[in-house]
């Protein structure tokens, strides 16, 4: 009897991976950075993060009801957006602004495009950009040891001593690496974010090459422009952006060549904004700008279809 091979509809490659597994893997990886935030900023870090998560969950639930979608607020995506949004704002920012920013992150950054998997821009950064445009003072006022002060990047931009932006004691690079400095809630500890990033790489959720290219590009370009490359890669939102925002599978390129272009473009934009622009930090806007180029990058770096032959027509 002849065996007949039947071909069913795509997808032909199946996996046990689910949205929930991916999202909760990323959430687990953020625990070290969250613990450092609580250690550095106190219980306020827990309150801000909790408010952001709850606001994102409620907003997504309401949007899904209005849009007659299946309710999936506990698949982890809304929780992750809440955590990431709280991580890119100052811990002392008004809770009203935290709620508004979280609502914008979900409603305008995600649901207006159709929901999970359809958004063009990183939702948490859409919320941050909205808050920064609406209340620039609130999102650029940072606290350390209960006192308002400049961040490391701001101090370098203005030629100020770094002592006021770091918790006193020890080598400045070590202080910056472990997170003993002022800044946004979840961005301060490069060490904690690196631990989380290694966990994601181990779990196969991200490719190490993209964050390595971003961080390496910033290191080389800030050094070439006369900056302190070590402090530039250890401070600000670079590690959070490189490991968590830029690697978002929805808003980043899907081709290997496209990922390289995306990472190099990010590193270039971040370096130019920090060194030549009027704003000391450039991670959030650089990622949003490059998000907008992703469809174009995907289009021109897509591999040829199997069996495709170039046309000889003139």
């Amino acid at each position: 009897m002849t065996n007949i091979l039947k071909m069913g509809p795509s997808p032909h490659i199946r996996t046990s991976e689910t949205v929930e597994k991916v999202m909760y893997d990323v959430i687990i990886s953020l625990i070290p950075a969250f613990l450092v935030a609580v250690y550095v900023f106190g219980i306020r870090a827990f309150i801000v993060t909790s408010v952001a998560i709850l606001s994102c969950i409620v907003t997504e639930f309401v949007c899904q009801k209005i849009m007659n979608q299946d309710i999936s607020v506990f698949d982890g995506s809304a929780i992750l957006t809440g955590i990431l949004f709280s991580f890119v704002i100052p811990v002392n920012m008004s809770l009203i602004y935290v709620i508004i920013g979280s609502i914008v992150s979900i409603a305008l950054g995600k649901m207006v495009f159709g929901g999970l998997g359809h958004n063009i821009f990183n939702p948490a950064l859409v919320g941050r950009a909205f808050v920064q445009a609406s209340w620039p003072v609130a999102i650029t006022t940072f606290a350390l040891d209960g006192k308002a002060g400049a961040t490391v990047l701001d101090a370098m931009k203005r030629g100020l001593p770094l002592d006021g932006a770091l918790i006193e004691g020890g080598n400045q690079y070590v202080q910056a690496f472990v997170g003993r400095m002022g800044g946004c809630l979840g961005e301060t500890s490069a060490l904690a974010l690196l631990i989380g990033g290694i966990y994601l790489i181990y779990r196969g959720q991200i490719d190490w090459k993209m964050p390595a290219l971003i961080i390496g590009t910033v290191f080389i370009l800030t050094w070439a422009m006369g900056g302190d490359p070590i402090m530039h890669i250890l401070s600000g939102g670079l590690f959070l952006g490189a490991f968590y925002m830029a690697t978002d599978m929805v808003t980043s390129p899907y081709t290997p060549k496209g990922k390289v272009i995306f990472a190099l473009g990010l590193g270039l934009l971040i370096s130019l904004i920090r060194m030549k622009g009027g704003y000391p930090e450039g991670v959030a806007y650089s990622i949003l700008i490059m998000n907008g180029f992703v469809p174009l990058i995907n289009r021109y770096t897509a591999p040829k279809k199997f069996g495709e032959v170039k046309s000889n027509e003139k």
Side-chain angles (χ1 to χ4, degrees):
M1 182 177 179
T2 305
N3 292 325
I4 299 175
L5 178 64
K6 294 183 178 180
M7 178 67 76
S10 62
H12 304 299
I13 300 175
R14 301 181 184 276
T15 176
S16 60
E17 200 84 325
T18 63
V19 171
E20 288 82 0
K21 286 184 179 180
V22 174
M23 295 300 168
Y24 284 107
D25 253 353
V26 180
I27 290 169
I28 290 170
S29 74
L30 287 166
I31 291 175
F34 175 70
L35 294 177
V36 171
V38 174
Y39 170 73
V40 174
F41 300 114
I43 191 65
R44 176 75 180 184
F46 176 82
I47 294 172
V48 170
T49 304
S50 300
V51 169
I53 292 172
L54 182 60
S55 301
C56 285
I57 290 174
V58 172
T59 303
E60 183 157 313
F61 177 83
V62 171
C63 288
Q64 288 179 341
K65 277 287 190 181
I66 293 172
M67 299 167 68
N68 293 318
Q69 294 183 352
D70 293 334
I71 304 300
S72 58
V73 293
F74 294 110
D75 62 5
S77 61
I79 297 172
L80 179 58
T81 299
I83 295 173
L84 290 176
F85 174 72
S86 71
F87 274 25
V88 295
I89 58 175
V91 72
N92 53 311
M93 196 170 77
S94 169
L95 293 182
I96 295 298
Y97 299 157
V98 175
I99 293 171
I100 294 172
S102 300
I103 293 172
V104 170
S105 295
I106 294 295
L108 297 184
K110 179 180 176 182
M111 299 308 297
V112 74
F113 294 100
L116 181 64
H118 300 283
N119 51 291
I120 300 173
F121 303 100
N122 184 283
L125 294 182
V126 171
R128 188 192 193 282
F130 178 87
V131 173
Q132 184 159 349
S134 303
W135 302 284
V137 175
I139 206 165
T140 54
T141 303
F142 301 95
L144 184 63
D145 289 340
K147 298 178 292 183
T151 64
V152 169
L153 290 175
D154 189 36
M156 289 194 295
K157 190 78 172 178
R158 294 192 284 168
L160 302 174
L162 299 184
D163 297 342
L166 297 164
I167 297 176
E168 295 181 4
N171 181 275
Q172 290 184 337
Y173 295 131
V174 174
Q175 299 292 81
F177 182 58
V178 299
R180 291 171 59 83
M181 61 180 175
C184 292
L185 188 154
E187 293 179 348
T188 59
S189 178
L191 173 60
L193 293 166
L194 180 61
I195 292 171
I198 291 172
Y199 172 80
L200 290 179
I201 293 168
Y202 169 75
R203 294 285 292 172
Q205 302 296 0
I206 66 172
D207 184 350
W208 67 269
K209 290 189 282 295
M210 184 179 286
L213 275 173
I214 296 169
I215 295 169
T217 301
V218 171
F219 183 93
I220 293 170
L221 292 181
T222 52
W223 170 77
M225 295 180 195
D228 183 341
I230 298 177
M231 197 59 81
H232 266 287
I233 67 170
L234 295 181
S235 55
L238 184 60
F239 269 63
L240 182 66
F243 282 103
Y244 291 94
M245 308 289 198
T247 57
D248 176 20
M249 60 184 66
V250 176
T251 59
S252 63
Y254 59 75
T255 65
K257 188 184 296 184
K259 291 179 185 294
V260 172
I261 295 171
F262 185 77
L264 293 176
L266 271 178
L268 174 62
L269 285 175
I270 292 168
S271 302
L272 287 174
I273 292 173
R274 286 185 176 187
M275 298 300 297
K276 302 298 181 181
Y279 187 57
E281 175 62 292
V283 174
Y285 284 123
S286 297
I287 292 175
L288 289 172
I289 291 169
M290 290 305 297
N291 284 161
F293 283 101
V294 167
L296 195 64
I297 293 173
N298 283 334
R299 178 179 177 182
Y300 286 102
T301 60
K304 290 194 303 181
K305 297 177 181 178
F306 181 74
E308 181 180 352
V309 179
K310 289 185 177 179
S311 175
N312 292 322
E313 296 179 4
K314 294 183 180 180

